[in-house]
Amino acid sequence: RIATRHVIVATGHSARDIYQMLHAVGATLEPMPFSIGVRIEHPQDWLNERQYGRASQHSALGAAAYRLACNLPTKRSAYSFCMCPGGVIVASNHEQGTVVTNGMSAHGRSGRFANAGIVVNVTRDDYLKTSPLDGIAFQRRWEEAAYALGGGGHVAPAQRASDFVAGIASTGQLATSYLPGVAAADLTECLPEFVITTIKAGLAHFDERLPGFAGDNGILVGVETRVSAPVRIMRDESGQSPGLRGLFPAGEGSGFAGGITSAAVDGIEQADRLLASLSKT
């Protein structure tokens, strides 16, 4: 233990034990809207052809990417997130009995597949009951359902995009970069109904933009639940928690940043606020 009167907490948006500890010792927390959904993966060669056409084999062109969004009259949105050209789908769970997916690209972006999150906005009204930590419980519910659907271990449930749209379970072998392996399944068993209907509508829209996007070679892998922080650690103008003076929440886990760059900027600003508070003591 290190005794101190000033602490910067920058643990990221998935440090659930830290959220629980801070809630227990009096830090002021606020529930946040976030998004959940699935990863979708296509052969990179297919995406290159869709984006570059006849120039898809040109050596000067790198792995193609996309950015897609669909806003519906229901006030729900389906959108691509963390698009990884020539990348891989990676296991990101840290709790027993859960499956969580994410994506990454190496510097060369030379992998066989392209993947991205296809996620849907979740509002506080979708999950909030009594505690600012209810969003975590909501995420965990679907992560545990994905674990059960995958059959255990780190195996993830997966489904052809065409089958998902048609409402039928996939069978057989599905090609994917996810190294722990996938089990063909019906992903509607590990997603809320409003996410299912919104992703289906989104896939239909995306297929118009990129013909074949929702076809047989699009593979959905579940679930993606860690797009952003489900909790905000409140802070005042001095950067400190109103309920726990000396605590300086920073970065994406604080709920005041989203993504690498904004989290880095927020960390710098919080460090400046901490230094300013020291000069007053």
Side-chain angles (χ1 to χ4, degrees):
R1 293 189 177 186
I2 300 175
T4 181
R5 297 182 183 275
H6 299 85
V7 175
I8 290 180
V9 175
T11 49
H13 63 43
S14 294
R16 293 172 172 175
D17 55 340
I18 300 299
Y19 287 136
Q20 195 165 8
M21 178 189 70
L22 292 177
H23 185 53
V25 297
T28 307
L29 305 183
E30 179 181 81
M32 289 277 288
F34 51 92
S35 298
I36 69 170
V38 296
R39 280 265 144 190
I40 189 167
E41 190 164 56
H42 297 89
Q44 185 64 55
D45 287 345
W46 171 86
L47 182 58
N48 291 345
E49 291 174 1
R50 286 292 180 272
Q51 296 290 61
Y52 299 145
R54 289 181 296 177
S56 63
Q57 300 299 319
H58 198 289
S59 59
L61 295 173
Y66 57 79
R67 187 174 182 178
L68 300 167
C70 175
N71 299 314
L72 301 178
T74 59
K75 297 185 178 180
R76 301 285 184 186
S77 298
Y79 62 97
S80 61
F81 168 78
C82 184
M83 201 274 139
C84 303
V88 295
I89 298 176
V90 295
S92 299
N93 57 301
H94 67 278
E95 295 180 331
Q96 293 291 328
T98 63
V99 164
V100 181
T101 61
N102 204 332
M104 61 162 283
S105 296
H107 176 73
R109 296 184 169 185
S110 57
R112 293 173 50 212
F113 296 99
N115 76 82
I118 301 294
V119 296
V120 174
N121 60 305
V122 177
T123 71
R124 302 194 329 173
D125 291 340
D126 292 320
Y127 67 82
L128 185 59
K129 296 178 181 177
T130 59
S131 168
L133 303 180
D134 286 343
I136 294 174
F138 183 87
Q139 291 174 327
R140 186 182 288 123
R141 171 186 175 184
W142 303 110
E143 293 165 7
E144 291 174 344
Y147 178 89
L149 192 57
H154 295 286
V155 175
Q159 188 174 13
R160 294 178 186 87
S162 55
D163 290 341
F164 183 83
V165 171
I168 58 176
S170 289
T171 58
Q173 298 293 317
L174 304 179
T176 175
S177 66
Y178 184 75
L179 289 179
V182 299
D186 180 357
L187 289 177
T188 63
E189 296 181 26
C190 62
L191 293 168
E193 183 60 34
F194 71 86
V195 172
I196 296 166
T197 57
T198 305
I199 290 180
K200 284 184 177 181
L203 288 174
H205 177 75
F206 303 156
D207 201 70
E208 294 176 359
R209 297 280 303 278
L210 291 172
F213 190 88
D216 288 347
N217 69 349
I219 305 299
L220 305 180
V221 182
V223 288
E224 170 104 14
T225 55
R226 310 294 180 86
V227 173
S228 62
V231 177
R232 172 171 285 165
I233 309 170
M234 299 303 294
R235 62 196 192 198
D236 59 21
E237 292 182 358
S238 71
Q240 300 178 67
S241 168
L244 198 62
R245 307 304 293 172
L247 179 74
F248 291 79
E252 199 164 359
S254 70
F256 286 92
I260 297 170
T261 302
S262 63
V265 171
D266 188 65
I268 292 169
E269 292 179 345
Q270 280 295 82
D272 287 340
R273 294 184 182 110
L274 187 152
L275 292 172
S277 73
L278 289 176
S279 66
K280 297 176 182 178
T281 59

